Amino acid sequence: MVRLISIVSVIISLSLGLIACRAAPTQVPPSPPTSTVPTPPASPPEEKVVVPEATVPPSPVIVTTPPTENVTAPPPAPPAPVLPSRVSLTVNTQSVEIARVTAVFRFDTRSDPGYYYITLLSGNDSFGALEVEWYRATKQISLEWPVYAGRPAYYRLRNDEPVGDIFQTQVSYKKFISLTAIPRDAPSDLEREIVDYVNRERLTRGLSLLAWDDGLYKEALQRLKQFGEEGVILPPRAGQPYPETAYVATGGVGEDAFTISRYWIVNEAYFAIVTNPKAKSFAVRTDTYNNKKFYVVGLFKME
């Protein structure tokens, strides 16, 4: 009996243990800690680098026509002067030691007024240059050079060689130009003195004084240039609106206001202009040119 009770007790204990095992949750022992290695960030996708092909830049376009704006064309070259022509070349043998060679030159209306330097040559020998001051009032001029014994040309003359084969002439030219370095916009002291003398003459005759005229001063400059460039006082052109007085001196003598004004008073035609009762304004211009001449021109404006 006791054995039976023991067996039953064992069976009951086993049953209770089995039920306890089923009811209790299965516990998994924790895993030991492991060192965590950080995950490196993902590398960006590799970009494909495209290398451009080398290209040759286009050639620049060259513009052959310059732009027209802000371009100043050079002034045209002045025409070459027309030199005088030689008419004849003769020889006068005065003695056994000297001969004189004469050359005649002819000018015409195409020749430019100015200085002409004419040189007599024979081979490598020069017999000097003669200065000729020419203006349109003269048409022909003769020049003479001495040829002394001892020069080859002299003995060629004695041997009766043709004169034209022995001698040549060389002509160069220099134009008459103004010696005034700076153009004037206002009258000089001399020009003011001339005006004072003219007004004194009018005042003594009971006439009104003449006012200075800037417009006539510019007109007088143009007339004075014509005098200087031609080498002579030219008469006024037909229809010139302003009566004119003029004066010329050479060699520095008579270049003063008193002499100029007195010349206008004693000249009958100029006196009538200076003392004209209708004259209201006046301007005078003076200048010296390299032809050694001093020119004056006065212009008068009438009512």
Side-chain angles (χ1 to χ4, degrees), residues 193-205 207-212 274 282:
E193 288 182 32
I194 297 172
V195 173
D196 289 342
Y197 273 107
V198 168
N199 274 329
R200 288 180 198 176
E201 188 66 33
R202 288 179 63 87
L203 190 61
T204 59
R205 300 176 185 278
L207 300 171
S208 62
L209 300 181
L210 300 178
W212 177 261
V274 170
F282 169 59

Side-chain angles (χ1 to χ4, degrees), residues 246-287:
Y247 177 82
V248 60
T250 304
V253 178
E255 298 180 14
D256 60 277
F258 176 78
T259 302
I260 296 165
S261 61
R262 293 314 302 171
Y263 176 78
W264 289 348
I265 296 303
V266 299
N267 183 294
E268 184 177 353
Y270 291 161
F271 175 78
I273 296 173
V274 170
T275 60
N276 192 319
K278 294 184 177 182
K280 293 300 179 183
S281 60
F282 169 59
V284 60
R285 191 98 187 195
T286 66
D287 201 357

Side-chain angles (χ1 to χ4, degrees), residues 10 41 111 116 124 139 142 216 236 244 270 284 291 293 302:
V10 170
S111 300
Y116 288 84
N124 294 325
K139 299 301 180 186
S142 297
L216 287 181
E244 174 186 295
Y270 291 161
V284 60
N291 61 350
K293 289 186 178 180
M302 303 297 174

Side-chain angles (χ1 to χ4, degrees), residues 4 18 21 30 49 77 80 119 163 167 181 190-191 197 212 243 248 251 259 268 284-285:
L4 180 63
L18 180 62
C21 291
V49 180
T119 306
V163 177
F167 297 101
L190 174 59
E191 291 164 350
Y197 273 107
W212 177 261
V248 60
T259 302
E268 184 177 353
V284 60
R285 191 98 187 195

Side-chain angles (χ1 to χ4, degrees), residues 46 53 56 106 112 136 147 195 206 216 241 253 261 282 303:
E46 183 178 353
E53 296 182 2
V56 179
R106 176 174 295 159
D112 285 357
R136 300 191 193 282
V147 177
V195 173
L216 287 181
V253 178
S261 61
F282 169 59
E303 289 181 339

Side-chain angles (χ1 to χ4, degrees), residues 66 69 95 108 120 144 168 201 244 255 283 303:
E69 60 271 14
S95 68
D108 57 32
L120 183 68
E144 186 178 81
Q168 306 85 39
E201 188 66 33
E244 174 186 295
E255 298 180 14
E303 289 181 339

